[in-house]
Amino acid sequence: MKLILWAHEDSVRGTERWNGFIKYLVEERLDTDSAAFKSALPLSGEALEHAKNFFPNNADFKKDQLVITIENHIFSEELNFNGAIFAQPISFTNCRFKRSVNFYKANFERAARFSGSKFLETVDFGNAQFRVAALFERVTFCGKIIFYWSENESNLLANFRKAIFKKMTPVFHGRNFHPAWDFHGVTWPKIPKRNGDKKTQDTIEDTLLYHITSYEYICTQAENIGQLELRKEMIRRELACRAELAEPSFERYLRKAYGWICDHGTSIGRPALALLCIWGFTFAAWRGWAAQEAAVTTWDVLYHTGGRMVPFVGGHAYVEEHTLKALRAAPHVLHFLSAMAAILSPFLLFLMALALRLKFRMSV
């Protein structure tokens, strides 16, 4: 911890201080051909001796395998590890970063763990190299999260189990997900909503486009590694963003209705409940009228209304001829309700089938 604070005392050469000491540690213990270590500038003798004083007097830098572990610490200032080298495992456990953190082009030679920590502002891992799995279990991200890789494509294995993304979706463009990538239990940001203020509305539109781009990329990667639940969630969230982004028009209302009725093609229960409510209302209306008609029983109403809810099946298929005549004489409003039920039921059944297909991995 003291080494980190000492490195950041120099806002210009902070990374050089850090890398210089890490270079000394590595050269004392092993021979390496890493380009990152070769390019790192060594510390001056005075600076090296100063840095050594941060460690116990009996520390043997030629033998000790140093593991950097920082727990339950609050970082109040910005941290800049731009191009920093982490030769040994480093762990920021249950830490709190109040300001932005920059790990751009950082080189993690060993394990990097940030479990249980909280980033209140932007954290940038753009073009950072992770030699082994990066661990972000239960991490809370409150600002932008950047993991993009700008040079061709890069494979990355990371664990985001139970991570919380408060406002923004992480950017992974240029990264190929490893099959063991873990997004289980992740809390994704709420979909931004439009409001009347023009300036705020423009900002929300930019944010929605940012989300859509991120969701599309994660969806593609999730499909590549066979994580279909993650893919389904990304599709749902992308469509929700597009519904919010659409200009006021018939398309916007249609997208909104699609979200309300079936949660953008992922819910079985919502269209099933809507179908049940339509049938229940139609049945109750017909049953109220049938109570005054001796020729029509409750079972007749059940057969009639139930038959209208099934596509290509008429209610008269289950009703006797004399009862059918009585039903035909019913008020027009009841026939209108039956017609609406017959029109809506195929759409709701289709939405249920769409969600079932997605849930049980059925294909056509």
Side-chain angles (χ1 to χ4, degrees):
M1 186 63 231
K2 291 180 180 178
L3 184 65
I4 291 175
L5 295 178
W6 171 71
H8 282 82
E9 285 178 1
D10 190 330
S11 59
V12 178
R13 300 180 63 251
T15 301
E16 290 183 17
R17 282 185 171 187
W18 174 271
N19 288 351
F21 190 75
I22 298 300
K23 180 184 179 74
Y24 163 76
L25 292 179
V26 171
E27 290 178 342
E28 285 292 301
R29 290 198 310 274
L30 52 93
D31 182 25
T32 178
D33 59 354
S34 171
F37 291 117
K38 289 181 178 180
S39 63
L41 298 175
L43 285 178
S44 65
E46 182 182 353
L48 181 58
E49 291 303 318
H50 183 77
K52 285 182 179 180
N53 291 331
F54 297 137
F55 298 87
N57 293 331
N58 60 348
D60 188 344
F61 297 108
K62 293 184 179 181
K63 295 181 180 180
D64 291 346
Q65 297 294 315
L66 297 176
V67 177
I68 304 172
T69 302
I70 302 172
E71 297 181 345
N72 304 309
H73 188 81
I74 297 176
F75 294 91
S76 300
E77 302 298 328
E78 291 184 6
L79 291 181
N80 185 1
F81 290 104
N82 188 334
I85 302 170
F86 299 93
Q88 297 296 333
I90 183 167
S91 175
F92 292 93
T93 306
N94 298 320
C95 292
R96 186 182 180 91
F97 301 87
K98 288 187 174 181
R99 303 291 296 278
S100 61
V101 186
N102 184 5
F103 287 101
Y104 183 77
K105 284 192 174 181
N107 192 324
F108 296 91
E109 295 286 334
R110 303 289 181 86
R113 178 185 290 272
F114 296 86
S115 304
S117 294
K118 187 172 186 177
F119 295 91
L120 298 183
E121 294 191 7
T122 299
V123 55
D124 187 353
F125 287 97
N127 285 334
Q129 296 188 51
F130 296 90
R131 306 295 183 183
V132 295
L135 306 178
F136 296 93
E137 313 103 312
R138 298 175 286 101
V139 173
T140 300
F141 298 95
C142 299
K144 283 188 176 181
I145 316 98
I146 302 171
F147 283 91
Y148 71 82
W149 182 266
S150 61
E151 303 173 13
N152 298 324
E153 294 179 342
S154 169
N155 291 317
L156 176 62
L157 172 57
N159 184 339
F160 287 91
R161 183 181 290 266
K162 295 184 178 180
I164 299 174
F165 301 105
K166 285 279 190 178
K167 297 179 180 179
M168 304 301 292
T169 311
V171 176
F172 293 108
H173 290 74
R175 302 281 191 180
N176 289 327
F177 289 10
H178 189 278
W181 192 289
D182 192 345
F183 265 126
H184 290 97
V186 166
T187 300
W188 299 98
K190 293 181 179 179
I191 305 299
K193 302 295 183 182
R194 287 176 177 266
N195 54 40
D197 183 73
K198 181 66 170 64
K199 184 177 180 180
T200 305
Q201 195 173 78
D202 290 342
T203 302
I204 291 174
E205 287 182 2
D206 292 340
T207 304
L208 285 167
L209 289 171
Y210 181 97
H211 282 297
I212 289 171
T213 302
S214 298
Y215 289 139
E216 285 179 334
Y217 189 82
I218 297 174
C219 177
T220 302
Q221 291 298 316
E223 185 174 12
N224 290 342
I225 63 176
Q227 292 194 13
L228 300 185
E229 281 297 322
L230 177 60
R231 175 181 175 271
K232 180 178 76 172
E233 177 63 13
M234 293 301 99
I235 291 174
R236 186 188 72 80
R237 299 187 68 83
E238 179 205 336
L239 291 175
C241 287
R242 291 190 183 279
E244 202 62 41
L245 186 64
E247 295 293 335
S249 62
F250 177 73
E251 179 191 354
R252 177 177 171 82
Y253 296 129
L254 191 62
R255 286 182 177 274
K256 284 284 189 179
Y258 185 56
W260 293 329
I261 296 172
C262 66
D263 201 11
H264 301 285
T266 61
S267 174
I268 302 171
R270 288 190 187 184
L273 180 62
L275 195 65
L276 181 64
C277 289
I278 291 173
W279 173 79
F281 182 77
T282 306
F283 175 81
W286 275 93
R287 182 67 188 87
W289 167 80
Q292 305 172 6
E293 299 291 328
V296 182
T297 66
T298 301
W299 286 108
D300 293 329
V301 174
L302 180 65
Y303 292 148
H304 176 69
T305 56
R308 298 305 298 270
M309 299 298 294
V310 180
F312 311 116
V313 176
H316 63 275
Y318 307 99
V319 180
E320 298 294 337
E321 185 62 30
H322 66 280
T323 306
L324 184 59
K325 291 181 179 179
L327 291 173
R328 286 173 176 168
H332 293 299
V333 65
L334 294 179
H335 290 292
F336 176 78
L337 288 177
S338 294
M340 289 297 98
I343 292 171
L344 293 175
S345 62
F347 292 103
L348 294 173
L349 289 170
F350 170 75
L351 294 176
M352 288 175 62
L354 191 66
L356 281 167
R357 175 178 176 271
L358 194 61
K359 183 177 182 61
F360 294 105
R361 317 285 192 265
M362 295 181 288
S363 60
V364 293

